Amino acid sequence: MDAAATTPNALAGFKRLTIKIGSALLVDGATGKLRKDWLAGLAEDIAALKSGGCELVIVSSGAISLGRRLLGLTGKALTLEQSQAAASAGQIALSQAWTEHLGHHGIVTGQILLTPNITEERRYFLNARTTVNTLLGLGAVPIINENDSVATAEIRYGDNDRLSARVATMIEADALVLLSDVDGLYTAPPARDPAARHIPEVAEITAEIEAMAGGAASHLSRGGMTTKLEAGKIATKAGTAMLIALGTRDHPLEALTAGSRHTLFLPAPTTTAARKRWIMGTLDIAGHITIDDGAVRALKQGRSLLPIGVLKVTGNFARGDTVAILDLEGREIARGLAGLDREMADRVKGQKSDLIRDLLGPDTRTELVHRDNLVLLTA
Ligand code: GLU
């Protein structure tokens, strides 16, 4: 199955990785028990990557599958309440397993349980990101899962494929690795179509690529190829590469470094995405711009911030500095790079665009923040 020994390291050049481990890898489907030998091998791989200078964040499923057995929930389908109870009991076992196996290599683990509001709402998002970054800075490996025991049906990811993509983009990982029970994307689900061909690289997730994914999922994990492609869209749009690789084998990450077969989804080649990611991450806000309701609507429609909608400018910023954009209630609704400096912004605030060149000269830009340099913080 593997290509020749000369195949390049599939993880080369990635300094910050998010690795998603599916339930079907960690938990034996027949017995409901942890696959300890497999986890021991993976822990060795993680330790090796870490000593090579890589930072790793693990998104681990398995809580519900482990909890089922612990609570004696043997029925085929669990009710929502039963899965939440299973997640609660199983999460402790899952964390213990990670702590023990990574602990053998002197690696400290930190547990973070997320719900969608945490990755979507900026205040929580920043907090979660800071915690992950602090753990990484301290040399620990964060172990992340969805907080299944409290997340309700309406507000949960339900699959760790998409959750891991949100985590990868939140921490600006270079790559997200989905360890799965298949070694990548095929032209059709291989179980159904023996003639299906493996696809080594995907430059863009088009409708044609999406049509190749079947909806099938194993009974332990919720995600099939469809949620993996959704994860791929989240990751690649934000500039993070994604790999789908076979996780069921022993030492799956070591295998990747030896060039084992996988599908690589290339990050979107947009500098806008990278710039926006960078703007989101700026903690140093040089000024505040308060805008009227009309300007709020325009920003939400994807337009640039024009001086006419600006009511107040504070702070001391130069062109290119990061500014926070506030609504009338003082809520930060967007963040962007100033197109004009503070003094110019003050002079043109409230003015129509065609008067701005009269005020500032013929060569000036007329947007206070261009839409390519602007990130909305609310929906
Ligand atoms: N969060 C779930 C668990 O830990 C798994 C979801 C998934 O399989 O994607 O059991």
Side-chain angles (χ1 to χ4, degrees):
M1 180 181 271
D2 286 1
T6 50
T7 324
N9 174 356
L11 301 180
F14 299 139
K15 284 274 157 246
R16 186 173 268 205
L17 288 170
T18 298
I19 315 279
K20 184 256 170 177
I21 324 277
S23 301
L25 307 181
L26 269 168
V27 184
D28 184 286
T31 61
K33 287 193 185 161
L34 189 74
R35 294 176 64 219
K36 284 194 178 165
D37 291 345
W38 179 85
L39 181 55
L42 180 69
E44 269 175 40
D45 292 1
I46 291 171
L49 283 168
K50 223 174 152 288
S51 39
C54 216
E55 292 178 313
L56 292 108
V57 172
I58 308 294
V59 175
S60 175
S61 307
I64 297 176
S65 334
L66 286 173
R68 281 175 91 119
R69 190 181 70 89
L70 293 171
L71 294 174
L73 293 166
T74 47
K76 257 208 152 123
L78 301 185
T79 62
L80 177 64
E81 292 76 10
Q82 286 173 329
S83 345
Q84 294 193 309
S88 165
Q91 187 60 40
I92 296 179
L94 188 62
S95 304
Q96 267 171 356
W98 279 109
T99 303
E100 188 190 315
H101 285 86
L102 288 176
H104 287 151
H105 301 276
I107 298 172
V108 177
T109 49
Q111 175 182 272
I112 301 175
L113 299 179
L114 296 175
T115 40
N117 67 324
I118 296 175
T119 49
E120 307 308 323
E121 279 172 38
R122 186 158 177 87
R123 198 158 47 93
Y124 294 118
F125 171 94
L126 286 175
N127 225 344
R129 190 178 63 169
T130 303
T131 308
V132 174
N133 282 334
T134 307
L135 283 166
L136 289 173
L138 293 167
V141 171
I143 310 288
I144 297 177
N145 194 1
E146 181 154 27
N147 196 353
D148 290 309
S149 47
V150 297
T152 64
E154 311 83 67
I155 56 135
R156 68 194 291 260
Y157 286 99
D159 67 85
N160 278 4
D161 292 327
R162 288 177 304 152
L163 174 72
S164 64
R166 295 299 310 177
V167 168
T169 59
M170 176 172 90
I171 61 157
E172 293 170 38
D174 302 310
L176 164 66
V177 180
L178 299 182
L179 290 181
S180 168
D181 51 5
V182 280
D183 58 2
L185 178 70
Y186 283 72
T187 49
R192 275 187 247 156
D193 182 354
R197 275 182 305 105
H198 179 267
I199 301 181
E201 195 172 289
V202 174
E204 194 192 345
I205 302 175
T206 57
E208 193 195 348
I209 293 288
E210 286 184 83
M212 294 174 183
S218 102
H219 71 287
L220 282 182
S221 61
R222 288 160 206 277
M225 195 49 79
T226 310
T227 57
K228 289 183 177 44
L229 292 187
E230 279 174 37
K233 285 198 239 167
I234 297 170
T236 56
K237 269 189 200 152
T240 296
M242 185 176 91
L243 290 87
I244 299 178
L246 188 67
T248 44
R249 69 192 316 153
D250 284 341
H251 292 285
L253 294 176
E254 186 190 63
L256 271 176
T257 61
S260 67
R261 192 145 91 152
H262 61 279
T263 300
L264 169 67
F265 295 81
L266 297 170
T270 109
T271 52
T272 312
R275 187 163 55 235
K276 290 198 172 188
R277 229 174 34 169
W278 181 79
I279 295 168
M280 289 245 289
T282 332
L283 297 174
D284 198 1
I285 304 290
H288 290 85
I289 296 174
T290 305
I291 61 173
D292 64 21
D293 291 342
V296 171
R297 277 195 298 278
L299 296 196
K300 287 189 175 170
Q301 286 162 6
R303 308 230 192 99
S304 298
L305 176 62
L306 301 178
I308 188 152
V310 174
L311 300 170
K312 195 169 131 197
V313 178
T314 60
N316 185 15
F317 52 89
R319 203 179 129 189
D321 280 350
T322 303
V323 288
I325 299 166
L326 313 178
D327 67 11
L328 286 169
E329 266 92 39
R331 283 181 304 232
E332 185 182 358
I333 61 141
R335 192 170 283 199
L337 302 182
L340 301 171
D341 67 28
R342 153 78 206 260
E343 190 257 331
M344 284 176 166
D346 229 352
R347 273 167 59 198
V348 298
K349 69 171 189 270
Q351 302 289 347
K352 286 211 177 102
S353 294
D354 47 2
L355 290 177
I356 289 167
R357 291 212 163 88
D358 296 340
L359 286 164
L360 298 181
D363 294 323
T364 188
R365 47 183 69 217
T366 52
E367 310 90 0
L368 189 40
V369 180
H370 189 274
R371 62 197 171 96
D372 283 349
N373 294 329
L374 194 128
V375 186
L376 275 185
L377 304 180
T378 52

